[in-house]
Amino acid sequence: MNKMKVFLVDDHEMVRLGLKTYLMLDPEIDVLGEASGGQDALNKIEAMQDNLPDIVLMDLMMPDMDGVETTSKLIARYPQLRIVMLTSFMEDEQVVSAIQAGAVSYVLKTISAEELCYAIRGAYRGMPVMSGEVSQALTRGLRKRAAEPEHNGLTEREKEVLLLIADGKTNKDIADELHISIKTVKTHVSNLLMKCELQDRTQLAVFAHRKGWA
């Protein structure tokens, strides 16, 4: 049997060391590498083109780029990757965002080592693994989203601009496509940032994907 190739992403060195120490004892698992954050993970996995991991154990809360955004970017580049979110946090919205970003499973750091290996094997086979409480959080989160206004009070034009931003379009691209001025596009972008309570275009793009609009 080929070994399951695992990559670790966590901003705490001791957590990575503990995970690696245990996983390396399993004869069916090969720990290919590790990263201290989201951008570090993107860079290192990109450099592993000839030997990509099968499974990525992903922390949720990291300072440079959180696990949801990192998962979304990794899946966009390498759709064959299986992401297992391994975290201490279990807010309803976080669980929904992680699954919608492409994570196969969402498990808590309180699980046993045996349960973690079970989740890794499940991910390798494409089988989601979640505890009952995580499944309940996912259900609650999906219900909350379904009850929310569809587009956070955005106008039709703002929705169009948001979707084009999520598609990677520049202000000039958007102006040309919608037949409006660049100044008008900038106004729409400013309004989007304000209404969505975000800081920049990248966050707008991630927001649109997390909501399932893009």
Side-chain angles (χ1 to χ4, degrees):
M1 176 182 175
N2 292 330
K3 286 190 174 185
M4 295 173 287
K5 296 178 289 186
V6 177
F7 190 90
L8 311 176
V9 185
D10 197 292
D11 60 321
H12 291 98
E13 184 178 2
M14 291 304 295
V15 172
R16 299 197 308 273
L17 178 60
L19 287 170
K20 182 166 61 175
T21 300
Y22 178 79
L23 293 177
M24 288 178 66
L25 296 175
D26 192 311
E28 295 181 354
I29 294 176
D30 182 17
V31 179
L32 286 189
E34 60 185 89
S36 59
Q39 189 58 55
D40 189 31
L42 292 174
N43 294 341
K44 287 182 176 176
I45 291 176
E46 184 176 2
M48 300 167 69
Q49 292 286 351
D50 296 330
N51 189 31
L52 289 172
D54 300 305
I55 299 110
V56 178
L57 286 185
M58 180 75 68
D59 191 18
L60 179 64
M61 305 302 292
M62 296 181 288
D64 66 330
M65 183 187 301
D66 69 23
V68 171
E69 183 177 354
T70 307
T71 294
S72 180
K73 290 185 177 182
L74 281 175
I75 293 298
R77 297 181 189 183
Y78 316 105
Q80 74 274 26
L81 288 184
R82 309 288 189 180
I83 310 290
V84 174
M85 198 67 68
L86 180 61
T87 177
S88 303
F89 301 90
M90 198 185 61
E91 296 295 330
D92 298 353
E93 180 65 23
Q94 292 169 336
V95 178
V96 174
S97 295
I99 298 304
Q100 288 192 335
V104 173
S105 298
Y106 192 108
V107 296
L108 301 176
K109 288 181 178 178
T110 54
I111 65 172
S112 68
E114 182 179 353
E115 288 170 324
L116 178 59
C117 285
Y118 177 76
I120 290 173
R121 287 181 170 81
Y124 187 71
R125 297 173 176 84
M127 179 184 73
V129 174
M130 297 182 195
S131 67
E133 56 184 344
V134 172
S135 295
Q136 290 172 6
L138 177 60
T139 301
R140 287 194 304 268
L142 290 171
R143 285 175 178 169
K144 288 176 185 176
R145 286 197 177 185
E148 291 176 352
E150 185 181 357
H151 285 91
N152 286 39
L154 306 184
T155 67
E156 287 299 320
R157 181 62 88 188
E158 286 167 350
K159 296 174 195 175
E160 292 177 323
V161 172
L162 177 61
L163 294 179
L164 290 171
I165 289 173
D167 199 34
K169 303 292 187 182
T170 65
N171 284 352
K172 185 178 184 306
D173 294 334
I174 296 172
D176 291 343
E177 185 157 339
L178 299 181
H179 305 291
I180 56 178
S181 70
I182 292 179
K183 181 178 179 181
T184 300
V185 174
K186 290 180 178 179
T187 298
H188 287 314
V189 173
S190 296
N191 289 339
L192 284 166
L193 292 170
M194 179 184 65
K195 289 183 178 182
C196 298
E197 299 181 354
L198 299 172
Q199 301 297 318
D200 54 43
R201 296 171 68 93
T202 299
Q203 291 182 359
L204 281 173
V206 172
F207 175 81
H209 283 286
R210 285 184 186 177
K211 289 289 188 181
W213 300 342

